[in-house]
């Protein structure tokens, strides 16, 4: 296994752009998440239609006075979150295409209640940082696992299958190298970003390292699964994998915590591994009892085991025949 890892390290040094991408993506995502969590306030965009000049202020809303209501299409496209119409008799009507839960938040903000919830679901800085990093780490996993794909294309894996090293040890060496390549630099960069920004992550170094290990392990075995199951002709496996990662990471709320609206979509989101990871991170940061964290953590560990086991068996069947 040491030979495989040394060979991968040599290849990595020959492709320094991979190291640069990891450092840049991790640093940029971490800084963006810290900025969003501590330095930027999200506000509602509300169009107010009134027959006379009316004063309306909200700390959580951008109030736009208008003489006529904007077309409903602008609500659908997100230009405005709501249209508030004030009638001559003093009554008001609120039009929005948001879900009932979001509409309740909006009304509370417009009423100026001190306990009005934030525009997005409350999430700590640490969870936001990990959420932003999730997509990039998953994509970087498939980038580094191309060394395994190159061995398949070049025929080296056929010779390895007949050697004393064997397929199992060979794949484990690739996974270990991929995991360490993702985990060590990311951990160092996050510690530096936290130290420079003085951001309160909500958990200490050990929980942070544990959650990074979890997402790096998922990234590693998912990329192994892709390259084991799909041919790498014209980087098809990498392109398919990145498409899946981008779509599912956005749906899972990696960048912003989405509120419940569509029930069918909500069910799909709950089975995404990124969502389970964010549930674990949020539970740790909110100091939730372990009983509430274990289901999501167990689901992630099960997925990691399944991806790895299926990949090893598929590769053995392809190159050994059993």
């Amino acid at each position: 296994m040491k030979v495989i890892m040394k060979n991968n390290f040599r290849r990595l040094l020959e492709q320094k752009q991979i190291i640069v991408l990891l450092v840049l993506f991790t640093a940029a995502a971490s800084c963006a998440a810290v900025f969003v969590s501590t330095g930027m306030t999200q506000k509602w965009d509300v169009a107010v239609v009134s027959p006379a000049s009316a004063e309306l202020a909200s700390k959580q809303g951008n109030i736009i006075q208008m003489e006529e209501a904007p077309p409903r299409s602008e609500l659908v496209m997100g230009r405005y979150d709501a249209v508030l119409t004030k009638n001559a008799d003093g009554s008001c009507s609120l039009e929005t295409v948001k879900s009932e839960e979001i509409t309740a938040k909006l009304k509370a903000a417009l009423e100026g209640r001190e306990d009005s919830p934030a525009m997005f679901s409350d999430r700590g800085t640490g969870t936001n940082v990990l959420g932003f990093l999730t997509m990039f780490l998953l994509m970087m996993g498939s980038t580094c696992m191309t060394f395994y794909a190159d061995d398949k294309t070049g025929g080296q894996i056929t010779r390895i299958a007949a050697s004393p090293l064997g397929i199992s040890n060979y794949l484990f060496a690739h996974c270990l190298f991929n995991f360490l390549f993702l985990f060590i630099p990311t951990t160092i960069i996050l510690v530096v970003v936290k130290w420079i920004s003085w951001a309160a992550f909500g958990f200490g170094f050990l929980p942070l390292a544990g959650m990074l290990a979890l997402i790096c392990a998922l990234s590693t075995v998912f990329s192994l699964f892709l390259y084991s199951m799909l041919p790498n002709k014209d980087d098809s496996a990498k392109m398919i994998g990145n498409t899946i990662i981008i779509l599912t990471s956005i749906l899972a709320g990696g960048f912003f915590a989405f509120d419940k609206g569509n029930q069918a979509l909500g069910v799909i989101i709950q089975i995404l591994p990124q969502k389970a990871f964010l549930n674990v991170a949020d539970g740790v940061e909110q100091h939730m009892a372990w009983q509430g964290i274990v289901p999501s953590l167990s689901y992630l560990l099960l997925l990691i085991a399944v991806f790895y086991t299926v990949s090893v068996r598929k590769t053995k069947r392809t190159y050994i025949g059993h």
Side-chain angles (χ1 to χ4, degrees):
M1 289 197 298
K2 290 182 180 180
V3 174
I4 300 297
M5 295 185 68
K6 287 182 179 179
N7 187 43
N8 282 352
F9 185 70
R10 179 185 55 78
R11 290 159 139 183
L12 185 62
L13 293 179
E14 293 173 355
Q15 301 183 36
K16 295 182 177 63
Q17 68 273 16
I18 298 178
I19 302 175
V20 174
L21 283 175
L22 176 64
V23 173
L24 289 180
F25 278 155
T26 304
S30 301
C31 292
V34 170
F35 174 72
V36 168
S37 301
T38 61
M40 183 174 71
T41 303
Q42 296 290 339
K43 291 188 176 183
W44 308 96
D45 291 316
V46 181
V48 177
V49 183
S50 177
S53 178
E55 292 186 0
L56 181 64
S58 173
K59 293 181 179 180
Q60 295 190 33
N62 292 320
I63 306 302
I64 302 102
Q65 296 283 351
M66 307 185 71
E67 295 182 358
E68 295 183 358
R72 186 175 176 82
S73 59
E74 295 199 5
L75 287 173
V76 175
M77 291 187 296
R79 172 65 183 83
Y80 300 101
D81 294 299
V83 176
L84 178 66
T85 303
K86 301 191 74 174
N87 304 313
D89 60 0
S91 61
C92 298
S93 61
L94 186 69
E95 182 183 7
T96 181
V97 295
K98 305 292 185 181
S99 66
E100 292 182 1
E101 187 173 349
I102 298 180
T103 301
K105 289 184 177 184
L106 175 57
K107 287 181 178 179
L110 292 176
E111 291 170 2
R113 288 179 5 210
E114 294 183 358
D115 62 341
S116 59
M119 181 176 179
F120 297 103
S121 299
D122 294 331
R123 256 186 5 191
T125 302
T127 305
N128 276 334
V129 170
L130 292 173
F132 272 54
L133 282 176
T134 297
M135 186 180 80
F136 298 114
L137 287 175
L138 289 173
M139 293 175 67
M140 285 305 301
S142 62
T143 299
C144 194
M145 194 60 76
T146 52
F147 296 151
Y148 163 57
D150 292 341
D151 287 350
K152 288 177 61 178
T153 304
Q156 290 93 327
I157 192 172
T158 304
R159 295 191 294 271
I160 291 171
S163 71
L165 177 63
I167 292 294
S168 296
N169 291 333
Y170 165 76
L171 293 180
F172 181 77
H174 270 296
C175 288
L176 181 59
F177 177 83
N178 205 47
F179 171 81
L180 293 175
F181 169 72
L182 294 173
F183 177 74
I184 295 175
T186 304
T187 303
I188 294 172
I189 292 171
L190 272 187
V191 170
V192 172
V193 169
K194 182 179 179 181
W195 177 71
I196 293 175
S197 65
W198 289 89
F201 276 26
F203 34 70
F205 174 76
L206 288 180
L208 175 63
M211 284 178 286
L212 282 177
L214 196 61
I215 193 63
C216 290
L218 178 64
S219 172
T220 297
V221 297
F222 179 68
S223 58
L224 177 67
F225 176 79
L226 282 174
Y227 287 118
S228 297
M229 302 301 292
L230 300 174
N232 196 40
K233 184 179 180 180
D234 299 325
D235 286 334
S236 58
K238 183 178 179 180
M239 289 188 291
I240 292 172
N242 286 345
T243 302
I244 294 172
I245 289 166
I246 292 171
L247 291 176
T248 54
S249 295
I250 293 173
L251 282 176
F255 298 98
F256 289 113
F258 292 104
D259 293 276
K260 297 178 181 178
N262 187 303
Q263 291 186 350
L265 183 60
V267 172
I268 296 174
I269 290 174
Q270 290 301 319
I271 65 174
L272 297 176
Q274 295 98 317
K275 181 63 176 177
F277 174 70
L278 290 173
N279 288 341
V280 173
D282 189 52
V284 173
E285 188 164 19
Q286 301 300 330
H287 305 290
M288 184 185 298
W290 276 105
Q291 291 85 340
I293 300 175
V294 166
S296 295
L297 179 60
S298 301
Y299 177 60
L300 277 174
L301 294 175
L302 177 63
L303 280 179
I304 291 171
V306 169
F307 280 140
Y308 182 75
T309 302
V310 171
S311 301
V312 172
R313 290 187 176 180
K314 173 64 169 60
T315 306
K316 282 185 174 181
R317 188 177 297 112
T318 301
Y319 293 97
I320 301 178
H322 59 81

